[in-house]
Amino acid sequence: MLKKKELTKILYKALDCEEEANTEFYAYTIKSLKYYKWLSGDKRERVEGIIKKLGGDSLRHKGMIEDLIQKVEESEKNVF
């Protein structure tokens, strides 16, 4: 069992990870693809599509975590 404060701390850390993945990893990797001359154009497009999908999934995860944080913070329970 976790206390509200501990769970909230974990959820905020997860939220930070999702945000960092989107701003640092996915966006950076997509911008960097143009420098991957060893990848053919069609493979580069496939990789970009996969990374964009992962970025979209990450944004959905971020939304779910934000919802969880809100529910935990608004809950009258102190143990989860």
Side-chain angles (χ1 to χ4, degrees), residues 37-55:
K37 302 298 182 195
W38 47 271
L39 273 178
S40 64
D42 61 326
K43 286 184 181 178
R44 207 172 304 143
E45 287 177 18
R46 284 182 50 208
V47 170
E48 182 176 345
I50 291 167
I51 293 171
K52 284 182 179 180
K53 170 125 177 52
L54 289 171

